[in-house]
Amino acid sequence: MEHLWAPWRNAYVTSNDIKSKETLFHDLGQSTNDEENFVFFRSKSVYAILNRFPYNASHSLVVPYRSVSDLRDLSQSELQDLWNTVNQVTTLIEKAFNPHGFNVGINIGASSGAGIPHHLHVHVVPRWKDDANFMTATAEVRVHPSELKEIYQKLTAIRDSQEPSP
């Protein structure tokens, strides 16, 4: 048996601050501790957060503040804000990490794979040519070259250096 050591994950795994799965996104949206929670972008009706269990470095979630389970439950202005934020998040990630492409998607309902089916969220996953390396192909293990804190700091620095939106 092979072992992959990741001691930096211990603080998260043993934390007493792990939110209830049912209210996780609501609680994160209402929190003011963005750095601790890795919330790197906020708009009127949605926020963007780094996925703590990423597929790739800077894998992000765009989440409505309001708890809805389906796109059809969002108002027109919330829907527009959601997709505008997805565009802004992909732009930030492009500037920070130069991916070759993105997977953008939503799992609606538990049977589609939604881990938190009662709170809709959009996954923004950057992709690089040949990012399915030998570890993924042979050992079913993902290797992430950067810590979430470093990714958060890079994204927020780029966000803060941009001109404000009109």
Side-chain angles (χ1 to χ4, degrees), residues 18-164:
I18 297 175
K19 310 280 192 280
S20 163
K21 197 173 187 184
E22 288 298 313
T23 63
L24 174 68
F25 289 140
H26 176 267
D27 294 346
L28 291 170
Q30 299 305 310
S31 173
T32 57
N33 196 343
D34 287 353
E35 186 171 0
E36 181 179 311
N37 294 319
F38 301 115
V39 174
F40 65 92
F41 191 90
R42 288 185 180 271
S43 65
K44 182 179 178 183
S45 43
V46 301
Y47 65 95
I49 186 169
L50 291 173
N51 189 334
R52 287 189 185 260
F53 302 101
Y55 180 79
N56 269 345
S58 70
H59 174 173
S60 303
L61 307 173
V62 178
V63 186
Y65 292 113
R66 198 163 63 86
S67 182
V68 299
S69 58
D70 195 289
L71 283 169
R72 294 167 288 194
D73 297 331
L74 294 171
S75 71
Q76 278 304 113
S77 64
E78 289 171 321
L79 195 57
Q80 184 176 8
D81 194 24
L82 175 83
W83 292 112
N84 285 341
T85 302
V86 167
N87 283 337
Q88 290 174 303
V89 166
T90 57
T91 298
L92 284 173
I93 294 171
E94 281 177 337
K95 289 179 179 181
F97 300 103
N98 301 308
H100 299 119
F102 287 91
N103 290 125
V104 176
I106 307 170
N107 300 329
I108 298 175
S111 61
S112 73
I116 303 177
H118 300 296
H119 204 134
L120 177 86
H121 52 283
V122 178
H123 291 260
V124 178
V125 182
R127 300 300 303 263
W128 290 267
K129 184 178 181 271
D130 301 325
D131 68 7
N133 62 38
F134 80 95
M135 288 291 285
T136 302
T138 62
E140 295 185 22
V141 171
R142 288 300 237 172
V143 176
H144 299 282
S146 301
E147 291 188 49
L148 289 176
K149 190 171 188 168
E150 292 171 8
I151 294 168
Y152 174 83
Q153 290 169 343
K154 193 165 190 177
L155 290 172
T156 55
I158 291 169
R159 176 203 66 201
D160 294 345
S161 70
Q162 293 182 354
E163 293 293 319

